[in-house]
Amino acid sequence: MDNLEMLKKLTGESDKELLEILLEDAKSFVLAYTSRTRMIPELERPVRELAVIALNRMGTEGESSRSSGGISSSFDSAPKQIYDILKRYRLARVGGRVYEAEEKQTENLQGKSSNS
């Protein structure tokens, strides 16, 4: 099941175009935060979770809290567990540049270590 179908199931939202926009925005945020140029499988779940959060917060942009009818709600940025995952896969800058391993290099390294 792809991210769009999973997001439909998780939220009950049927507007495919809206969900695609939310997923693309979440993906852009994750890539920028982790200094990556392409997605890795480990970051797919945080992308979906950020898209769900964005959908749930629609109409409350810019608010830090809301009180209505005796019910009080406060809004944080993304939950800590999402940032914990993103930090785990964040690329460090070395000399002002970010180095992202290519998949072929990773496969070659794994092949060499098993032959050694």
Side-chain angles (χ1 to χ4, degrees):
M1 185 180 301
D2 69 353
N3 277 338
L4 182 61
E5 291 301 316
M6 290 177 102
L7 196 56
K8 280 183 180 180
K9 293 275 187 199
L10 289 170
T11 64
E13 178 63 54
S14 59
D15 186 341
K16 181 180 174 182
E17 189 174 343
L18 173 63
L19 295 176
E20 286 174 344
I21 291 168
L22 294 174
L23 280 169
E24 189 59 37
D25 285 351
K27 179 180 174 183
S28 295
F29 173 81
V30 166
L31 290 174
Y33 188 86
T34 59
S35 300
R36 293 181 175 272
T37 58
R38 64 184 180 283
M39 289 296 297
I40 58 173
E42 295 84 359
L43 294 175
E44 293 293 334
R45 184 173 180 195
V47 166
R48 283 191 308 273
E49 290 175 351
L50 288 169
V52 168
I53 290 168
L55 178 66
N56 290 336
R57 291 188 181 165
M58 289 185 73
T60 63
E61 292 86 352
E63 294 183 22
S64 59
S65 64
R66 169 185 282 199
S67 183
S68 176
I71 299 173
S72 180
S73 302
S74 63
F75 307 103
D76 293 328
S77 56
K80 182 183 179 309
Q81 63 265 25
I82 292 176
Y83 280 110
D84 288 345
I85 293 169
L86 296 180
K87 287 177 187 173
R88 191 176 315 141
Y89 296 101
R90 198 172 196 182
L91 298 176
R93 291 189 175 275
V94 177
R97 297 187 66 192
V98 175
Y99 297 93
E100 188 171 10
E102 293 182 23
E103 291 179 34
K104 291 180 183 178
Q105 290 176 339
T106 305
E107 291 172 7
N108 288 341
L109 290 174
Q110 290 173 350
K112 287 181 181 177
S113 64
S114 63
N115 294 334
S116 300

